[in-house]
Amino acid sequence: MRRLPIDEEVTGDELDKDVRQELMSLPKTLAGDVAQNLVMVARLLDEDPERAYEYAKIALRLASRVPSVREAAGFAAYGVEKYAEALAEFRTARRMTGLQHLWPVMADCERGMGRPEKALAMAGEPEVKRLDKAGQVEMRLVAAGARRDMGQPDAAVVTLQSPELASNSSQPWTARLRYAYADALLEVGRESEAREWFAKALEADQGGLTDASDRLAELDGVEFIDALDEGAEDTDGTKE
């Protein structure tokens, strides 16, 4: 089996304790190998999804009966837009655990496969009521995206209107929800409201999860010029 290099400082102990508990069903050496590959998946998922996918495939070959491995493989496949593969992994992980937290991303896989109607149907299933608040917000975001996929932008706006959107409390999902609402408003031509919600998204976005600042600047007609661009003009209107 092909092996990929593991960063020297990666021990596998970086994993969540529940994942480490799952891996205890494996022989110790094997568990260590799987854990290191899972850590590499988590580290690379955002910055280098192709490599993350490669590490996930190794972990999957080593321990396909571990739910967390199937889930990690699902997210890695999702990251490289292999939606059918991701959905299969998520379904397997859900079947193994009986948990519902993957329901929104499963629905988003349906969107990725060009089946927004299926994603929208999933938003109305009983499983949604068993999600925590973050999961329910995520499901709402997916449903709104499905509405837009189906050419129903006004319905997307309505879908995102919720107590969570109106709340002043700041949660990990607040910025993304406000941003999605602003973007939906902009699509239906409600520009002044969109600007207001992009500003609210920026206020809540402590981790830089969105490009709300860029969208605000765009709406305000602010143009950023690369200072290193040799063709950029000086402030007096002349080129350097």
Side-chain angles (χ1 to χ4, degrees), residues 35-52:
Q36 287 180 315
N37 278 283
L38 291 180
V39 172
M40 293 301 293
V41 173
R43 287 190 172 191
L44 295 168
L45 201 54
D46 292 329
E47 64 184 58
D48 193 345
E50 291 288 350
R51 285 187 64 210

Side-chain angles (χ1 to χ4, degrees), residues 57 60 64 67 70-71 73-75 77-78 82-96 102 105-106 109-110 113 115:
K57 296 298 284 186
L60 189 60
S64 62
R70 302 307 290 253
E71 183 173 330
F75 277 109
Y78 180 86
K82 295 179 182 291
Y83 297 116
E85 182 178 330
L87 182 58
E89 295 299 343
F90 290 142
R91 282 175 173 166
T92 300
R94 178 171 171 266
R95 188 166 57 248
M96 287 176 165
L102 294 172
V105 72
M106 289 169 61
C109 286
E110 296 286 0
M113 295 165 65
R115 301 194 298 231

Side-chain angles (χ1 to χ4, degrees), residues 14-226:
E14 300 88 346
L15 292 176
D16 179 271
K17 65 178 182 180
D18 291 336
V19 179
R20 297 200 306 270
Q21 183 70 31
E22 284 186 8
L23 295 178
M24 289 181 66
S25 63
L26 302 173
K28 186 175 181 179
T29 300
L30 179 59
D33 288 344
V34 174
Q36 287 180 315
N37 278 283
L38 291 180
V39 172
M40 293 301 293
V41 173
R43 287 190 172 191
L44 295 168
L45 201 54
D46 292 329
E47 64 184 58
D48 193 345
E50 291 288 350
R51 285 187 64 210
Y53 179 71
E54 292 181 16
Y55 282 100
K57 296 298 284 186
I58 290 175
L60 189 60
R61 287 196 294 268
L62 291 172
S64 62
R65 295 184 180 182
V66 176
S68 293
V69 171
R70 302 307 290 253
E71 183 173 330
F75 277 109
Y78 180 86
V80 294
E81 300 182 4
K82 295 179 182 291
Y83 297 116
E85 182 178 330
L87 182 58
E89 295 299 343
F90 290 142
R91 282 175 173 166
T92 300
R94 178 171 171 266
R95 188 166 57 248
M96 287 176 165
T97 64
L99 300 177
Q100 306 300 332
H101 66 287
L102 294 172
W103 194 254
V105 72
M106 289 169 61
D108 207 39
C109 286
E110 296 286 0
R111 283 185 62 209
M113 295 165 65
R115 301 194 298 231
E117 297 87 354
K118 175 62 175 176
L120 198 59
M122 290 177 67
E125 294 291 338
E127 284 82 355
V128 177
K129 294 182 179 180
R130 296 196 284 271
L131 295 170
D132 60 14
K133 182 62 67 177
Q136 290 178 5
V137 169
E138 194 65 35
M139 192 70 247
R140 190 176 292 275
L141 290 169
V142 172
R147 287 292 189 187
R148 295 177 72 173
D149 294 343
M150 296 163 65
Q152 302 172 3
D154 289 297
V157 170
V158 174
T159 298
L160 292 168
Q161 292 170 346
S162 62
E164 293 81 19
L165 181 66
S167 174
N168 290 323
S169 67
S170 183
Q171 302 294 333
W173 40 259
T174 301
R176 292 179 58 243
L177 180 60
R178 292 177 179 179
Y179 182 95
Y181 187 55
D183 198 39
L185 287 169
L186 192 59
E187 185 175 0
V188 297
R190 294 161 63 176
E191 186 172 313
S192 61
E193 293 174 82
R195 192 202 179 286
E196 175 187 348
W197 282 98
F198 277 128
K200 289 182 178 181
L202 179 60
E203 180 183 355
D205 193 359
Q206 303 300 318
L209 297 175
T210 73
D211 64 348
S213 60
D214 293 340
R215 300 298 297 275
L216 274 173
E218 182 180 332
L219 286 172
D220 291 341
V222 176
E223 182 178 352
F224 295 101
I225 298 176
D226 188 347

